[in-house]
Amino acid sequence: LLLLLLGVTVGFALLSTTLKINGTAGIKSSQWDIHWENVQPNQQSTVTTQTPQITENATKVTYEVNLELPGDFYEFTVDAKNDGSINGKITDIKHKVYLSTDLEHTTTLPSYINYTLYYDGTTTPPAPDDILEAGDSQTYRVSIEYDSEATTLPAADTTYVVVDEIT
């Protein structure tokens, strides 16, 4: 009986196999760095102002312009630069307008002000799912114009704050 038990144990040991999976996974370092740079006023603008400023760790562009007469416009370009190692993708674009006297409530620009944000050299606005690949840059053109064909005009001086948030 002892010999039978020993024979079955040795036979089972010869017929059994242990399967293993061994491996390693390496993760390369990544860097996220998308920012604004290279603001250039359009020299054809009919009004002049200080060159727009890049602030808040290069994530915000600020400008101020006064449009006095129908046909006046101000335009500039700015580059979105991806110095990181990860592709960037636009997930959302929010366009907000506030009266400077009421920064709590959004409003719309009046019909006599034309505001556009396009990829430079095109009439294509940025859109969700647009990609900015690592190492690349994309030039945006910002334009604000007092419509020369406006049929209604402002009754009083008014200041608007226009904000585009691209995430």
Side-chain angles (χ1 to χ4, degrees):
L1 187 58
L2 187 58
L3 283 175
L4 180 60
L5 184 59
L6 186 60
V8 169
T9 303
V10 170
F12 179 74
L14 291 174
L15 296 177
S16 70
T17 304
T18 301
L19 300 175
K20 296 181 182 179
I21 298 175
N22 290 336
T24 60
I27 299 175
K28 293 187 175 197
S29 65
S30 297
Q31 180 183 1
W32 180 260
D33 181 6
I34 298 179
H35 59 273
W36 297 116
E37 61 181 36
N38 194 29
V39 175
Q40 296 294 319
N42 179 340
Q43 300 304 316
Q44 305 303 316
S45 295
T46 58
V47 295
T48 58
T49 187
Q50 289 183 335
T51 299
Q53 300 297 307
I54 297 174
T55 61
E56 296 185 23
N57 293 324
T59 61
K60 183 177 183 179
V61 177
T62 304
Y63 67 95
E64 185 175 323
V65 64
N66 289 312
L67 304 173
E68 295 182 14
L69 300 171
D72 284 354
F73 75 96
Y74 181 71
E75 189 172 272
F76 66 92
T77 59
V78 63
D79 296 338
K81 176 70 173 155
N82 186 347
D83 275 337
S85 58
I86 302 169
N87 291 348
K89 180 171 89 170
I90 295 176
T91 56
D92 192 23
I93 300 172
K94 294 178 184 167
H95 179 73
K96 301 176 184 178
V97 178
Y98 303 94
L99 288 170
S100 64
T101 56
D102 183 8
L103 296 180
E104 296 291 321
H105 302 94
T106 60
T107 184
T108 56
L109 282 169
S111 61
Y112 49 83
I113 296 178
N114 299 321
Y115 172 85
T116 58
L117 172 68
Y118 291 130
Y119 290 122
D120 192 33
T122 75
T123 56
T124 304
D129 297 327
D130 287 356
I131 302 290
L132 180 58
E133 294 188 11
D136 284 351
S137 65
Q138 176 66 57
T139 303
Y140 291 85
R141 179 174 37 90
V142 177
S143 179
I144 190 159
E145 174 191 17
Y146 193 153
D147 190 349
S148 62
E149 297 179 14
T151 57
T152 59
L153 299 175
D157 292 352
T158 309
T159 302
Y160 294 90
V161 176
V162 181
V163 178
D164 284 308
E165 294 176 353
I166 302 171
T167 53

